[in-house]
Amino acid sequence: AQSVTQLDSHVSVSEGTPVLLRCNYSSSYSPSLFWYVQHPNKGLQLLLKYTSAATLVKGINGFEAEFKKSETSFHLTKPSAHMSDAAEYFCVVSEGYKLSFGAGTTVTVRA
Amino acid sequence: DGGITQSPKYLFRKEGQNVTLSCEQNLNHDAMYWYRQDPGQGLRLIYYSQIVNDFQKGDIAEGYSVSREKKESFPLTVTSAQKNPTAFYLCASSFGLAASSYEQYFGPGTRLTVT
């Protein structure tokens, strides 16, 4: 069975400082991993995905994530936070058709 | 402009009433999905459909029903049998079921409140 643990329920950063969102996964097979972002009362948007190619994945809006099999982690980073990054972020693992979502990390950006 | 529309954005119902949530897509996707989102939790899969006239239960199908009569449409009915129907409901679609190959695109969601 697959599952995802997001290690922080809430992260607060100052504008212009780095953002780190931590995610550990559990999967029986070689997983596909995703990060989605959700702005308040909106649907989800795909930030990036890992599907067994390069372990460092670049996504939209300056985000990137690194797949570390030995640590079963897929942490999301951004070098410099912007006010528009304030949202909820979900780490997701898939096997076949099924997506398993983490509980989410809420990011607050301080001016 | 292609995308997924869900209506209405907010929906209020009395306990004991069935309610149907609409989901329409013009992306020519074969697969469609319904998820439920509760505060502090990730999304959970209610039902999914790979093709017209076919659908399968997800992890939390009890108290819900769906139909897939048209490729573009995948309505969800929340029945009175659903014990805790108040939630944010998200519809998604993709070209195929394999999540590693086909990105799921999400609609804006419907927030259902049952009192």
Side-chain angles (χ1 to χ4, degrees):
Chain A
Q2 58 194 33
S3 66
V4 165
T5 302
Q6 292 184 241
L7 300 173
D8 308 289
S9 60
H10 187 243
V11 168
S12 180
V13 298
S14 297
E15 191 175 21
T17 65
V19 181
L20 169 64
L21 306 183
R22 299 182 295 164
C23 172
N24 287 349
Y25 70 90
S26 171
S27 176
S28 304
Y29 307 101
S30 296
S32 293
L33 292 156
F34 310 79
W35 276 99
Y36 280 87
V37 61
Q38 183 181 34
H39 288 91
N41 293 309
K42 297 289 178 64
L44 277 68
Q45 180 184 21
L46 181 65
L47 280 177
L48 49 82
K49 70 175 182 180
Y50 165 79
T51 56
S52 75
T55 56
L56 183 62
V57 182
K58 293 190 184 299
I60 62 172
N61 300 335
F63 284 95
E64 63 180 38
E66 186 172 9
F67 174 73
K68 292 187 176 181
K69 187 174 181 179
S70 60
E71 299 176 11
T72 60
S73 70
F74 190 56
H75 300 338
L76 181 71
T77 60
K78 182 173 180 177
S80 176
H82 189 272
M83 296 299 289
S84 60
D85 295 327
E88 189 159 20
Y89 293 78
F90 292 97
C91 183
V92 182
V93 63
S94 81
E95 290 176 3
Y97 73 92
K98 183 172 173 166
L99 298 182
S100 293
F101 287 76
T105 298
T106 300
V107 172
T108 302
V109 182
R110 303 185 302 271
Chain B
D1 214 10
I4 301 174
T5 57
Q6 292 186 244
S7 60
K9 190 174 178 68
Y10 298 96
L11 190 54
F12 298 89
R13 280 294 182 271
K14 295 290 188 186
E15 197 173 316
Q17 294 178 335
N18 291 355
V19 59
T20 297
L21 281 59
S22 167
C23 176
E24 303 278 334
Q25 55 97 0
N26 61 3
L27 299 169
N28 199 32
H29 286 168
D30 286 312
M32 297 187 73
Y33 314 79
W34 274 106
Y35 292 90
R36 170 184 172 133
Q37 184 178 20
D38 295 283
Q41 299 187 36
L43 279 64
R44 292 180 289 167
L45 183 63
I46 304 172
Y47 269 97
Y48 66 99
S49 167
Q50 186 175 6
I51 199 168
V52 173
N53 292 321
D54 181 68
F55 48 83
Q56 305 295 329
K57 293 181 180 180
D59 296 323
I60 56 165
E62 185 175 350
Y64 299 98
S65 66
V66 294
S67 63
R68 186 88 187 274
E69 298 177 0
K70 298 187 300 181
K71 186 175 184 177
E72 304 78 20
S73 178
F74 191 40
L76 173 75
T77 297
V78 184
T79 76
S80 57
Q82 168 49 235
K83 301 298 182 193
N84 296 297
T86 295
F88 191 49
Y89 290 88
L90 288 154
C91 178
S93 70
S94 62
F95 279 114
L97 281 187
S100 61
S101 300
Y102 304 109
E103 178 183 344
Q104 290 189 21
Y105 291 81
F106 286 81
T110 292
R111 187 166 297 281
L112 173 64
T113 302
V114 177
T115 57

